Amino acid sequence: MDAAIKAIEKIVNSKAKVIGYEVKSIRGTTEAQGNVSITIEYNGYSITGRSAHTDIVTASAKAYVNALNKLYVHNKNTANKTTCEIEIDA
């Protein structure tokens, strides 16, 4: 999981810090799945991304990208209201 997060950080040049990580199993499906929640913090603002997948590394990467996307949207919506900025290089 750590390598996947670091690879994404390098690609998007994220300065966000992972402050929380949780994995729970999802029951009632034919395949075992893990539900991952990752909380990140940037410039005093924290947000949680979530994802589920049969592979925990994949779920973790997707949850991290989900959190980064939410942070990006937050920054776009509050660009004139706060000093919180993050740039994600495509």
Side-chain angles (χ1 to χ4, degrees), residues 41-62:
E41 186 269 332
Y42 181 79
N43 202 20
Y45 182 76
S46 63
I47 194 154
T48 301
R50 293 177 177 83
S51 183
H53 197 275
T54 55
D55 180 78
I56 296 302
V57 175
T58 300
S60 298
K62 287 182 169 191

Side-chain angles (χ1 to χ4, degrees), residues 27-39:
R27 298 176 185 202
T29 61
T30 57
E31 292 185 23
Q33 286 195 358
N35 187 22
V36 175
S37 298
I38 294 182
T39 303

Side-chain angles (χ1 to χ4, degrees), residues 6 13 24 27 31 37 41 53 59 67 70 75 87:
K6 287 183 179 182
N13 194 27
K24 293 183 179 180
R27 298 176 185 202
E31 292 185 23
S37 298
E41 186 269 332
H53 197 275
K70 288 179 179 181
N75 287 327
E87 293 193 20

Side-chain angles (χ1 to χ4, degrees), residues 16-28:
K17 178 182 176 184
V18 176
I19 60 171
Y21 179 80
E22 183 178 10
V23 178
K24 293 183 179 180
S25 63
I26 299 174
R27 298 176 185 202

